[in-house]
Amino acid sequence: MRQITLAATQMACSWDIDENIAKAEALVTNAAEAGARVILLQELFETPYFCLEQSLDHLQLARPLEQSRVVLHFAFLARKLGVVLPISYYEEAGLARYNSLAIADADGTILSNYRKIHIPQAPGYEEKFYFSPGDSGFQVVETRFGRIGCGICWDQWFPETARCLALQGAEVLLFPTAIGTEPNNPELDSSGHWRRTMQGHAAANMIPVVASNRVGSEQEGETTGVFYGTSFIAGFTGEILTDANRTEETFITAAVDLDAAARYRSAWGVFRDRRPHMYGTLRTLDGKTGTMR
């Protein structure tokens, strides 16, 4: 039995970066004291979610991996607490900018730097203005506490993300997130749909899933975003093991048995019975079998 305690945090963010970092550190520390060994912070927690509108000023927030304040700070904290931390940050790389996730192992070593592959573009989520599509490919890394695979927010809506990570041997899937209201459709509440999508990833791949979302209301120009929290941890058949509410700044934990999940995957035979040569349609945009044009 390889039992591991996973955690997700959720918090509100402001333009007081010192406060955001201190708040995130306190949540991580409390989760570690509660026994968590892999702890997920939300997407772009260093600042408010600056993608509500397009602003040239916010492009200046990007930093190279080696100079990112949050990456340096939380890599040190990972080492201090002996925990694994995926660290979301705004990356500058040459003339490109990415929505990135640096994975810090329990000794503080940065194991990988994942760049968000799927970039949304919608009112209140103006990400194509700020980010280039990631070129890192999906990544699974061996940490002190198991093999983890991560996507970032919009990545979580694509079954291909979870399946690619599963095929590379991920034992836990983690998705830092910033999602809430839709400015052009204020009556839409996607929180249930959001969770069920990832529960499906857990069930289809028989891998636990951790999702961390922010809470609170943020304003940029004429646009307001209200983030609905509901961070959760799902077990390897998709069941919700624990979750947070829509407004509280908190952390949640759940213990999972990675060996039990592995046995379950083997017993069901889903990966044995895959027919990759029949899936050519997935390599197209227009649904016609063949190579992408």
Side-chain angles (χ1 to χ4, degrees):
M1 182 175 71
R2 275 193 303 144
Q3 185 162 292
I4 180 176
T5 298
L6 307 170
T9 70
Q10 66 176 36
M11 60 184 241
C13 296
S14 72
W15 284 108
D16 186 335
I17 293 175
D18 291 336
E19 180 183 50
N20 296 336
I21 289 175
K23 191 185 298 186
E25 179 175 338
L27 288 170
V28 168
T29 300
N30 291 340
E33 290 174 351
R37 291 296 170 259
V38 178
I39 303 170
L40 183 63
L41 287 154
Q42 67 209 37
E43 181 183 20
L44 299 172
F45 64 90
E46 184 178 10
T47 66
Y49 178 71
F50 52 82
C51 308
L52 292 174
E53 291 189 358
Q54 298 182 14
S55 170
L56 287 171
D57 291 341
H58 295 336
L59 296 176
Q60 310 309 312
L61 296 169
R63 295 289 183 272
L65 171 65
E66 300 80 7
Q67 298 174 24
S68 168
R69 180 179 175 188
V70 286
V71 172
L72 293 171
H73 185 98
F74 285 90
F76 177 82
L77 184 64
R79 179 179 179 180
K80 176 182 176 182
L81 299 175
V83 299
V84 173
L85 291 179
I87 308 162
S88 176
Y89 75 107
Y90 189 15
E91 181 188 8
E92 179 184 61
L95 298 179
R97 295 175 178 85
Y98 299 99
N99 187 337
S100 298
L101 195 70
I103 311 298
D105 205 355
D107 62 357
T109 301
I110 299 299
L111 298 176
S112 68
N113 186 52
Y114 170 71
R115 293 167 170 168
K116 185 174 180 177
I117 287 173
H118 303 96
I119 308 298
Q121 184 65 33
Y125 303 90
E126 303 280 352
E127 295 201 15
K128 281 186 166 64
F129 179 80
Y130 294 101
F131 311 125
S132 294
D135 56 3
S136 62
F138 297 113
Q139 300 177 351
V140 170
V141 294
E142 184 79 50
T143 76
R144 182 181 298 179
F145 304 112
R147 295 185 302 277
I148 68 171
C150 300
I152 302 173
C153 201
W154 192 226
D155 288 331
Q156 69 207 184
W157 292 89
F158 295 84
E160 295 86 351
T161 301
R163 181 51 55 93
C164 285
L165 294 171
L167 288 171
Q168 291 181 66
E171 296 177 296
V172 180
L173 303 179
L174 302 104
F175 295 103
T177 304
I179 191 170
T181 53
E182 303 290 335
N184 277 17
N185 190 0
E187 295 183 357
L188 175 62
D189 180 358
S190 64
S191 60
H193 184 188
W194 173 73
R195 297 197 341 166
R196 288 189 295 272
T197 296
M198 285 178 282
Q199 287 178 257
H201 298 334
N205 295 287
M206 287 155 273
I207 297 174
V209 168
V210 185
S212 170
N213 190 23
R214 67 176 61 206
V215 296
S217 177
E218 299 178 11
Q219 182 78 29
E220 180 70 31
E222 300 298 317
T223 305
T224 300
V226 181
F227 299 91
Y228 52 58
T230 63
S231 302
F232 70 94
I233 301 172
F236 57 81
T237 63
E239 74 280 18
I240 297 291
L241 299 176
T242 184
D243 60 357
N245 64 29
R246 299 176 70 99
T247 60
E248 187 179 5
E249 296 182 297
T250 189
F251 70 91
I252 53 175
T253 65
V256 297
D257 184 342
L258 300 183
D259 284 341
R263 289 193 298 272
Y264 194 87
R265 283 193 298 277
S266 295
W268 272 87
V270 168
F271 292 94
R272 177 199 64 206
D273 295 339
R274 291 182 68 251
R275 303 286 302 283
H277 63 288
M278 302 298 295
Y279 306 152
T281 302
L282 295 179
R283 296 180 57 84
T284 73
L285 287 175
D286 63 7
K288 296 179 180 178
T289 302
T291 58
M292 284 180 32
R293 297 189 295 276

